[in-house]
Amino acid sequence: MIDFATQLTHLLGPQFSKEGLDPNLAEVRRSARPDLGDFQCNGALAGAKQKGENPRALADRILEALRGETMLRETSVAGPGFINLALSETALAEQANRLASDPQSGLTPVPRPLRVLVDFAGPNVAKPMHVGHLRATVIGDSLQRIGRALGHHVTSDAHFGDWGLQIGLLIISLEDEQPDLPYFKPDYNESMWLETPPVTMEDLDRMYPAASARMKEDEAYKERARKATAELQKGRPGYLALHKHFWKVSQVALEREFTALNIHFDLWKGESDVNYLIQDLVKQCKEKGVAVPDQGALVIQVARPEDKKEVPPLLLVSSEGSAMYGTTDLATIVEREREVRPELYLYVVDQRQSLHFTQVFRAAEKAGVSEESRLEHIGFGTMNGTDGKPFKTRSGGVIKLHDLITSCTERAMLKMQEGGYGQELSDQDRQTTARLVGTAALKFADLSNYRLTDYVFDLDRFTSFEGKTGPYLQFQGVRIKALLRKASEQGLSEAPIQVLLPEEKALVLTLDGFNAAVHLAFEKRAPHFVAEHVYGLAQAFSTFYVASPKILDEKDEAVRGSRLRLARAVLTQLELGLGLLGIQIPERM
RNA sequence: GCGCUGGUAGCUCAAUGGAUAGAGCGUCGGCCUCCGGAGCCGAAGGUUGGAGGUUCGAAUCCUCUCCGGCGCGCCA
């Protein structure tokens, strides 16, 4: 099915062509002045400009040609040349029924699907996920869901950070703690492998910050770590074995978080997975003359004459002989080109890394690995505390994602208890629901902000059941489910939708806007457009719900059936829309 | 210093170059013999940081400027 805005644009397009104008000028959108019409087209203004004539006259001619169009009830030209279009009752009712019977709720796939690779979350092996990972994870997940909903062929990759200096640091840190482990013996081989990991997640969690801090002050310590990193990358068996242990231990903790957030990846690849490609990559870059020696390292110059800022070269091989994260990023593109062949790459990573991605993308182009135009960095702002500074614990430490999820879940449970809701649920169901509500609070708060702006974390506000929050939206869904459940229990059936009340019309027009909102969200790589739409839908439903009291008691079977069907259509879209944000609606809450 | 990014209602945030800049929270005033009122309706609240410019039309684009956040070769 096709939404109204598109239908109307198609209707006006030929008229613009007939006038010798670009049919793209015919673009129709929801009216900013509902008192004047349902939709508007502003193309006559720009078109008249091009032709050097009066915009109102042009608008009049365009409308003249539309006379007798059954879709339209009324048309008018207002102001300097705005074209106002009001839909006929039949058109509204027909569209409402199409929406209600469409399992996709009006969502249409893109005409040309792309193979899209979404690289997001970027957790680090050996480091628990913290608040900083939340946005990358939630935004990336939403983009993969939106992309799929639009018919794109999406491949998501968590892209673990598991090959850099951090691993070297852990290796020497462990060496200092347990020097007798076989992995440190120069002659280590696989027969000496111990099934029991030498460390727990807690150990890693403790060791890494300490080692990282020491490195900043102790130059010799840093040198050791760099050497260990280079040796690991060269394939020292004992170090590879430790890497494997670290990886496995970390993965358990990481999966716990992703499961709690209901986020899934097609690929769980990491930097270490492309190590096998690096030697060749470096060699080829050298042969092509793309990589040049510089201060003991090997770099790819990516500066351009037109640059307004200084763009430093990408470090391909450090003076220690190790791969840097730009190197693995590049090698990862090589692998993806072979295995996925993406037409579009989306890197959902903190905005602060934009310079890094500029370097990587340019280097990829220069090295002939990929095309810069297919590579996009999707940056985002930071999550701040109520003081406006990056979110920290009271003692100034980094907040772990796990603790964040837990506190949201606990707060959700508290709110449910306070309101006396969910009492009919079993303890286990209540716990599951609380988690659904808690993560909805977290996700919606994040996704309702435009990604590039920083936002303030406010647990109390996010978990509130009133206002523009995830739990509020779930609650609206739960209310509709309750209504439909009751209708079904009473044996009441649905009927074709009739658009009688102004609130019903507003609701139908809102439903019809879903498709555009989702497309816009993907085009802008900005899920908040979906969040905005879904919230607007919930509001429009509430207004309708109050305006049509006691649907179940309605004596007119046709009216009752119509409203039930409309409610169901809203629920369908609410579930789909929230689903695109990674939010589920519980049965009860 | 150079660059990126943000600055919109008291607070937190929206607004694909279009008409009268919208929500939530908070404040004030209404609506409960209610299908889940955690809702709905209304009011107050804005020189869109500032100054120029482009345009029929600017929160949006350009220039300058002020304030905040961030980045700028061997960490990721």
Side-chain angles (χ1 to χ4, degrees), chain A residues 106 138 143 163 177 250 297 367 386 423 476 540:
Chain A
V138 167
L143 288 176
W163 205 234
E177 285 190 14
S250 313
T386 34
Q423 285 173 335
Q476 293 306 316

Side-chain angles (χ1 to χ4, degrees), chain A residues 260-573:
Chain A
L261 289 170
N262 188 27
I263 286 170
H264 307 280
F265 300 93
D266 299 309
L267 303 173
W268 283 63
K269 292 239 174 185
E271 297 171 330
S272 64
D273 289 310
V274 294
N275 192 46
Y276 74 101
L277 290 164
I278 287 177
Q279 214 181 340
D280 267 2
L281 176 68
V282 171
K283 192 176 153 211
Q284 281 175 25
C285 286
K286 270 197 218 163
E287 284 170 3
K288 284 187 193 163
V290 169
V292 294
D294 187 28
Q295 297 169 39
L298 199 62
V299 305
I300 300 179
Q301 296 289 348
V302 292
R304 289 174 184 171
E306 70 271 22
D307 286 340
K308 282 194 277 184
K309 61 182 169 186
E310 190 190 331
V311 182
L314 178 124
L315 265 163
L316 197 63
V317 183
S318 79
S319 52
E320 195 60 54
S322 59
M324 307 301 289
Y325 80 135
T327 321
T328 49
D329 277 354
L330 219 46
T332 301
I333 297 175
V334 172
E335 185 175 71
R336 287 171 178 167
E337 286 290 322
R338 288 182 192 169
E339 298 180 1
V340 183
R341 289 208 56 73
E343 289 152 290
L344 176 66
Y345 289 77
L346 301 179
Y347 289 86
V348 186
V349 183
D350 193 315
Q351 180 61 17
R352 285 176 291 194
Q353 297 206 27
S354 79
L355 182 57
H356 166 70
F357 284 108
T358 301
Q359 294 172 290
V360 171
F361 298 166
R362 287 183 181 189
E365 173 96 32
K366 200 170 174 183
V369 163
S370 182
E371 290 157 31
E372 203 180 337
S373 58
R374 286 190 271 142
L375 301 155
E376 268 184 53
H377 172 214
I378 311 303
F380 51 82
T382 56
M383 184 170 101
N384 295 334
T386 34
D387 58 356
K389 291 175 184 163
F391 201 51
K392 294 271 165 80
T393 58
R394 259 176 228 158
S395 56
V398 180
I399 294 176
K400 288 179 193 160
L401 187 54
H402 182 73
D403 296 338
L404 197 61
I405 296 168
T406 305
S407 55
C408 285
T409 303
E410 282 170 359
R411 189 63 67 98
M413 182 65 95
L414 204 66
K415 298 257 175 183
M416 279 164 61
Q417 280 163 357
E418 277 173 7
Y421 291 101
Q423 285 173 335
E424 70 277 26
L425 299 173
S426 69
D427 281 356
Q428 197 188 339
D429 285 350
R430 201 157 49 237
Q431 188 61 42
T432 308
T433 304
R435 204 181 68 183
L436 234 45
V437 173
T439 52
L442 205 52
K443 288 182 178 184
F444 191 82
D446 196 300
L447 294 173
S448 58
N449 290 296
Y450 176 55
R451 62 181 162 78
L452 280 172
T453 58
D454 298 341
Y455 74 98
V456 176
F457 180 82
D458 185 338
L459 182 61
D460 221 32
R461 189 160 62 82
F462 295 174
T463 55
S464 171
F465 280 43
E466 48 187 274
K468 197 173 180 176
T469 68
Y472 165 80
L473 289 168
Q474 289 175 310
F475 185 74
Q476 293 306 316
V478 167
R479 285 176 77 190
I480 302 175
K481 285 187 182 186
L483 173 74
L484 296 174
R485 202 159 45 225
K486 209 156 267 187
S488 151
E489 280 163 15
Q490 296 177 20
L492 305 178
S493 57
E494 294 177 15
I497 297 173
Q498 313 172 45
V499 184
L500 305 173
L501 306 166
E503 290 84 0
E504 287 176 316
K505 175 178 166 182
L507 183 52
V508 170
L509 288 175
T510 301
L511 283 166
D512 187 57
F514 181 54
N515 184 53
V518 179
H519 281 269
L520 184 64
F522 192 78
E523 280 161 24
K524 304 280 178 193
R525 314 353 178 173
H528 82 283
F529 286 109
V530 174
E532 286 288 325
H533 174 82
V534 164
Y535 182 69
L537 176 66
Q539 277 185 316
F541 177 76
S542 275
T543 304
F544 152 76
Y545 199 56
V546 168
S548 56
K550 298 194 181 183
I551 293 172
L552 297 179
D553 296 344
E554 172 64 51
K555 292 288 175 276
D556 186 328
E557 217 173 296
V559 171
R560 188 183 65 217
S562 157
R563 290 182 179 160
L564 285 173
R565 181 161 294 173
L566 188 54
R568 179 182 299 286
V570 171
L571 178 62
T572 301
Q573 192 172 93

Side-chain angles (χ1 to χ4, degrees), chain A residues 56-134:
Chain A
R56 290 193 62 115
L58 174 62
D60 280 331
R61 282 205 303 281
I62 288 168
L63 285 184
E64 187 60 32
L66 260 54
R67 189 170 294 210
E69 171 56 47
T70 52
M71 234 185 118
L72 300 170
R73 174 173 56 81
E74 198 185 334
T75 62
S76 65
V77 178
F82 293 107
I83 296 175
N84 292 311
L85 308 165
L87 296 163
S88 69
E89 310 295 325
T90 9
L92 276 163
E94 281 173 7
Q95 189 76 343
N97 284 297
R98 274 193 288 269
L99 280 162
S101 58
D102 180 0
Q104 293 307 308
S105 202
L107 198 59
T108 55
V110 291
R112 204 177 76 78
L114 299 172
R115 281 187 303 277
V116 183
L117 189 128
V118 187
D119 178 317
F120 72 101
N124 290 298
V125 162
K127 278 192 275 186
M129 296 220 289
H130 55 83
V131 266
H133 292 105
L134 179 73

